[in-house]
């Protein structure tokens, strides 16, 4: 059984962002493997280590620098990687078709996708690719087991969790808590350089086009209250009650 | 000339930064207050590959060069200096000496354990009466049937009592000065080998330091490293690499102190504005950043020279001198920028200052680095 796991190269949570001519500019080195995708890679690698899968293939869509995210996945234990290379900023629906095709092409029967992609802040990709494949999807998964060809999973819902099962092939999207992803060790990072990574040019049409981008302004919102203690205290109480509405 | 680190190294740096910040930084305060040898995190460092950075892959190490060594050790030190000291000793001294001077059998026997972190290595040169003047050491190794018997004591041994392997320098020929010194590798359980209580120190408490005693300790012949009389020359040449490690450690501590000070200067207000707006504070930050940058360039260049196989004794000493002095300067300035909070153990900068202080002392004091640099200048000028 082959597992495909989707990885996205996204700006690191601590990356310094700049808005430049209607696009967000980020230093190339400030990108990292999306944290939500790490859960997927970890889940895939654990299934393989448990002898339940034969191969783990990491798939990415994005510009050439996305190779770094794939190398991380390889360092974490994926066997090989495929990059569908495009400089277009494809929205989740535009990515779903090519990702479905790549999943079929590598013969995978389980596709793991991050519950949400940090760059679009969107949870659409997993369900959209399941739709394109015609496979069932379990989203926001916090527990995943494989017994023969049966996938048993638990996912979060508003008022608790649901247990769920389906036969392969299946798309599973991840959620924090699914596992504790390992670190890529230095020997594995070095070995990952020698694992196979295939690049295929991708031409796809974005459905959503970014017109402008701006950073949220960081206005200082602090207020200094002046006066004697009694005045300041009653003014503070008034603001907390009437304006902030926390009292 | 290209000052950018190679992409491959940046990837390793990033991985080590994540690792060090998530696994090591959180225990730094606790280890400072309740000192203990940090076995659990050292084990994780071993799994990460950080205890055999320079050792070839064939022996289970990473097989990287000194530039990578400096870059990665800086990340460890920025999280906790004591871990960097332990790592620097085990990587820099026993492993590099066994690698360059060990027989094939000795390399097979010790390098894989050290590189994996299954064994931690210690380096025993200094003695109560022989620090800067290390060649004046008195520990005696007498030839006996099948090997040697060691008598004497060492001082200030990092990882003493905790390490598994001890690289020891002892006199086989007391008449021959530095050329009468020979290197040996001892296992911790060697009969006649014992350790003093951990020294009480200013900082870096988790990098346990003890005296080491040899009472008629038998060392088989096959645990002698190199030939008789070569020990001191071997140790001095390994110190070039060791000192790059101390320079990198100093940079890591300085960087952490600078980052804390720069953040504090943005957030702390006095006289109605952030204190960074006062030139007295801004200039301090400017000097701190400049000293760090200059020291890092010297350190990376010295490491790069070692990687090219060039003689770099002078450059390594310059790097060690500049980086350790920069670290003390930067940490002291960070305390000043923090004001009274800088003196409080609830904030990290007083610990950085205490941790940084030893970097101008061990592996050759700042004065000794200047002696080395001046001697090299003389050699270049007089020839
Ligand atoms: C925390 C810690 C860990 C250590 N770990 C190890 C270890 O693992 N293994 C090991 O072998 N050693 C270790 N050392 C020992 C360390 O290397 C020595 O302390 C150092 O070399 C200085 O020697 P000393 O303490 O005897 O000082 P001294 O040599 O007595 O020096 C005292 C002062 O005199 C100055 N001085 C001496 N000679 C000259 C000169 N020619 N010109 C100008 N000034 C001079 C020195 O710079 C210094 O300021 C460690 C030390 C410490 C503090």
């Amino acid at each position: 059984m082959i597992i495909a796991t989707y990885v996205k190269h996204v700006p690191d949570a601590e990356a310094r962002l700049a808005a430049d001519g209607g696009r967000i500019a980020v230093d190339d080195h400030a990108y990292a493997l999306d944290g939500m995708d790490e859960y997927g890679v970890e889940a895939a690698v654990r299934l393989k280590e448990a002898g339940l899968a034969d191969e783990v293939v990491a798939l990415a869509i994005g510009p050439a620098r996305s190779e770094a995210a794939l190398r991380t996945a390889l360092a974490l234990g994926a066997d090989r990687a495929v990059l569908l290379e495009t400089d277009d900023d494809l929205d989740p629906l535009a990515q779903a078709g090519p990702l479905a095709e790549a999943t079929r092409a590598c013969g995978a029967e389980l596709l793991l996708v991050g519950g949400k992609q940090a760059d679009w802040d969107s949870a659409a990709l997993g369900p959209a690719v399941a739709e394109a494949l015609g496979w069932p999807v379990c989203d926001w998964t916090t527990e995943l087991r494989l017994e023969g060809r049966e996938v048993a999973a638990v996912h979060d819902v508003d008022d608790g969790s649901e247990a769920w099962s389906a036969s392969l092939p299946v798309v599973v999207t991840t959620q924090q808590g699914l596992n504790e992803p390992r670190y890529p060790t230095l020997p594995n990072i070095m070995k990952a350089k020698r694992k196979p990574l295939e690049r295929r040019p991708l031409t796809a049409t974005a459905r959503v086009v970014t017109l402008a981008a701006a950073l949220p302004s960081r206005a200082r919102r602090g207020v200094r209250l002046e006066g004697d203690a009694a005045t300041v205290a009653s003014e503070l109480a008034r603001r907390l009650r009437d304006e902030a509405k926390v009292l | 000339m290209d000052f950018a680190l190679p992409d491959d190294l940046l990837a390793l740096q990033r991985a080590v930064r994540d690792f060090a910040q998530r696994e090591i930084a959180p225990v730094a305060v606790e280890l400072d207050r309740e000192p203990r040898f940090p076995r659990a995190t050292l084990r994780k460092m071993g799994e990460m590959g950080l205890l055999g950075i320079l050792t070839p892959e064939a022996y289970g190490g990473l097989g990287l060069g000194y530039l990578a060594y400096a870059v990665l050790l800086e990340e460890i030190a920025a999280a906790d200096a004591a871990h960097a000291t332990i790592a620097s000793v085990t990587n820099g001294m026993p492993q590099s000496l066994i690698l360059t001077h060990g027989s094939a059998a000795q390399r097979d026997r010790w390098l894989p354990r050290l590189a994996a972190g299954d064994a931690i290595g210690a380096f025993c040169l200094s003695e109560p009466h022989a620090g800067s003047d290390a060649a004046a050491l008195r520990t005696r190794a007498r030839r006996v049937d099948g090997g040697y018997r060691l008598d004497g004591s060492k001082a200030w041994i990092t990882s003493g009592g905790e390490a598994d392997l001890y690289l020891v320098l002892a006199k086989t020929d007391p008449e021959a000065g530095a050329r009468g010194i020979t290197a040996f590798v001892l296992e911790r359980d060697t009969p006649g080998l014992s350790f003093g209580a951990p020294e009480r120190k200013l900082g870096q408490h988790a990098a346990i330091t003890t005296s080491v005693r040899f009472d008629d300790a038998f060392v088989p012949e096959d645990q002698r490293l190199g030939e008789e009389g070569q020990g001191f020359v071997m140790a001095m040449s390994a110190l070039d690499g060791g000192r790059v490690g101390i320079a990198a450690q100093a940079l890591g501590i300085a960087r952490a102190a600078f980052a804390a000070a720069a953040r504090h200067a943005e957030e702390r207000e006095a006289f109605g504005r952030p204190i960074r707006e006062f030139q007295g504070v801004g200039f301090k930050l400017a000097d701190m950043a400049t000293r760090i940058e200059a020291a890092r360039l010297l350190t990376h260049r010295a490491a790069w020279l070692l990687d090219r196989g060039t003689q770099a004794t002078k450059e390594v000493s310059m790097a060690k001198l500049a980086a350790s002095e920069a670290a003390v300067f930067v940490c002291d300035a960070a305390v000043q920028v923090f004001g009274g909070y800088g003196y409080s153990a609830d904030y990290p900068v007083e610990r950085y200052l205490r941790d940084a202080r030893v970097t101008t002392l061990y592996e050759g004091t700042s004065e000794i680095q200047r002696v080395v640099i001046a001697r090299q200048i003389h050699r270049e000028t007089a020839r």
Side-chain angles (χ1 to χ4, degrees):
Chain A
M1 205 270 289
I2 297 170
I3 303 178
T5 177
Y6 173 82
V7 303
K8 191 85 207 261
H9 203 215
V10 298
D12 194 285
E14 278 151 36
R16 227 171 259 286
L17 303 177
D20 168 23
R23 289 190 68 82
I24 299 293
V26 189
D27 178 56
D28 265 9
H29 294 300
Y31 283 86
L33 171 57
D34 196 329
M36 281 297 218
D37 297 337
E38 277 181 38
Y39 300 120
V41 175
E42 180 66 35
V45 171
R46 286 190 193 185
L47 289 171
K48 187 183 164 194
E49 286 170 347
L52 297 168
D54 305 302
E55 191 184 33
V56 175
V57 185
L59 303 174
I61 297 177
R65 61 166 167 72
S66 311
E67 178 178 337
L70 288 170
R71 293 283 173 208
T72 305
L74 293 169
L76 291 169
D79 299 293
R80 63 187 183 91
V82 180
L83 170 59
L84 306 178
E85 197 174 328
T86 170
D87 286 329
D88 295 334
D89 195 10
L90 297 178
D91 55 279
L93 288 187
Q95 289 179 48
L99 179 56
E101 239 170 77
T103 304
R104 279 194 209 287
C106 72
E109 293 179 275
L110 173 61
L111 171 65
L112 289 149
V113 180
K116 182 161 137 177
Q117 279 67 51
D119 51 355
W120 283 86
D121 200 24
S122 158
L125 180 62
V129 72
E131 172 78 23
L133 285 163
W135 296 0
V137 58
C138 177
D139 61 0
W140 302 113
T141 305
T142 51
E143 262 182 68
L144 177 66
R145 272 173 299 123
L146 191 60
E147 283 150 19
R149 297 191 50 81
E150 286 297 301
V151 175
V154 173
H155 80 162
D156 283 353
V157 290
D158 281 349
D159 41 8
S161 61
E162 275 174 1
W164 178 100
S165 85
S167 299
L168 295 173
V170 172
V171 175
V172 168
T173 85
T174 67
Q175 160 76 307
Q176 190 177 5
L178 175 59
N179 50 45
E180 190 63 51
R182 71 196 68 191
Y183 293 101
T185 65
L186 303 186
N188 286 340
I189 293 173
M190 291 165 65
K191 279 182 208 132
K193 280 190 287 188
R194 304 192 277 264
K195 289 186 178 176
L197 187 147
E198 185 191 335
R199 300 159 170 277
R200 293 186 211 142
L202 173 65
T203 35
T205 316
R207 303 230 193 152
V208 176
V209 179
T210 305
L211 297 178
L215 296 178
S217 61
R218 285 204 309 169
R220 288 171 82 92
R221 303 227 281 159
V223 176
R224 188 181 293 268
L225 302 179
E226 312 273 352
D228 61 44
T231 327
V232 169
S234 68
E235 176 61 10
L236 177 63
R238 188 193 66 75
R239 283 172 182 254
L240 289 174
R241 188 187 58 224
D242 301 344
E243 292 177 16
K245 301 200 191 313
V246 294
L247 293 185
Chain B
M1 207 178 331
D2 186 353
F3 288 99
L5 295 175
D7 279 349
D8 288 355
L9 181 49
L10 286 170
L12 300 182
Q13 179 189 39
R14 176 175 208 132
V16 175
R17 182 174 300 175
D18 283 353
F19 166 80
Q21 291 303 319
R22 279 200 270 177
E23 298 287 338
I24 298 177
V27 297
V29 170
E30 180 198 323
L31 288 175
D32 181 50
R33 294 190 184 159
E34 289 158 37
R36 62 182 157 78
F37 198 67
R39 291 226 170 261
T41 32
L42 285 170
R43 181 145 294 284
K44 289 181 189 165
M45 282 174 69
E47 283 162 15
M48 224 19 221
L50 289 166
L51 298 180
I53 299 174
L54 299 157
T55 294
E57 287 177 87
Y59 296 107
L62 295 179
L64 296 171
Y66 281 100
L67 180 61
Y69 181 59
V71 167
L72 303 182
L73 216 50
E74 179 182 328
E75 297 304 324
I76 305 294
D80 178 50
H83 282 80
T85 290
I86 298 166
S88 171
V89 172
T90 187
N91 269 297
M93 303 309 292
Q95 280 181 77
S96 75
L97 280 165
I98 292 169
L99 184 63
T100 13
H101 302 284
S103 64
Q106 289 174 328
R107 287 189 237 166
D108 288 343
R109 179 171 171 194
W110 292 313
L111 287 178
R113 280 170 68 201
L114 288 165
D118 291 337
I120 298 289
F123 176 65
C124 309
L125 173 65
S126 306
E127 297 186 0
H129 304 287
S132 299
D133 184 11
L137 65 87
R138 297 177 189 167
T139 295
R140 185 78 168 91
R142 286 186 183 78
R143 222 178 209 302
V144 293
D145 207 21
Y148 299 83
R149 290 211 172 261
L150 266 59
D151 279 289
S153 59
K154 296 285 173 182
W156 294 112
I157 303 311
T158 297
S159 307
E162 302 285 350
D164 306 272
L165 292 177
Y166 295 80
L167 198 140
V168 179
L169 292 145
K171 284 235 158 108
T172 36
D173 181 357
E175 308 306 314
R179 300 203 175 277
I181 295 173
T182 303
F184 302 91
V185 180
L186 274 69
E187 305 260 354
R188 180 179 33 200
D189 57 8
T190 304
L193 179 63
S194 61
F195 308 95
E199 303 292 345
R200 296 170 58 226
K201 298 180 292 189
L202 183 62
Q204 300 215 9
H205 300 309
I208 302 287
T209 323
T210 71
S211 59
V212 175
R213 273 183 65 90
F214 311 93
D215 295 294
D216 208 25
F218 177 72
V219 189
E221 172 121 32
D222 65 1
Q223 290 180 213
R224 187 191 71 219
L225 199 66
E227 295 305 317
E228 273 190 21
Q230 287 186 343
F232 195 71
V233 176
M234 281 161 34
M236 289 303 116
S237 69
L239 271 178
D240 279 355
R243 285 171 180 165
V244 165
I246 306 302
Q249 177 191 153
L251 286 172
I253 307 170
R255 178 183 106 195
F258 171 73
R263 219 167 24 246
H264 187 76
E266 296 284 336
E267 287 161 8
R268 177 71 177 173
E269 293 192 0
F271 300 94
R273 41 186 161 139
I275 59 169
R276 74 166 171 82
E277 289 183 13
F278 301 116
Q279 204 174 60
V281 174
F283 276 19
K284 210 168 245 103
L285 292 172
D287 286 345
M288 293 159 81
T290 305
R291 295 274 300 257
I292 292 173
E293 202 67 28
R296 189 181 284 122
L297 287 171
L298 279 172
T299 304
H300 288 184
R301 179 160 177 280
W304 174 83
L305 286 170
L306 290 179
D307 286 341
R308 288 165 43 119
T310 313
Q311 169 72 25
T313 302
K314 181 179 77 177
E315 288 78 4
V316 165
S317 281
M318 287 174 163
K320 201 270 186 183
L321 173 64
S324 59
E325 294 288 338
V328 174
F329 168 83
V330 167
C331 293
D332 185 63
V335 169
Q336 198 66 20
V337 169
F338 266 75
Y341 300 97
Y343 200 64
S344 158
D346 291 339
Y347 292 80
V349 289
E350 60 84 32
R351 173 167 52 88
Y352 295 144
L353 178 59
R354 289 184 289 107
D355 285 349
R357 196 61 191 81
V358 72
T359 63
T360 70
L361 300 172
Y362 57 17
E363 302 218 5
T365 63
S366 289
E367 291 73 23
I368 292 304
Q369 304 310 323
R370 290 185 177 96
V371 169
V372 172
I373 296 164
R375 191 191 302 134
Q376 296 295 328
I377 291 171
H378 166 64
R379 282 186 187 157
E380 289 163 14
T381 315
R383 100 172 114 216

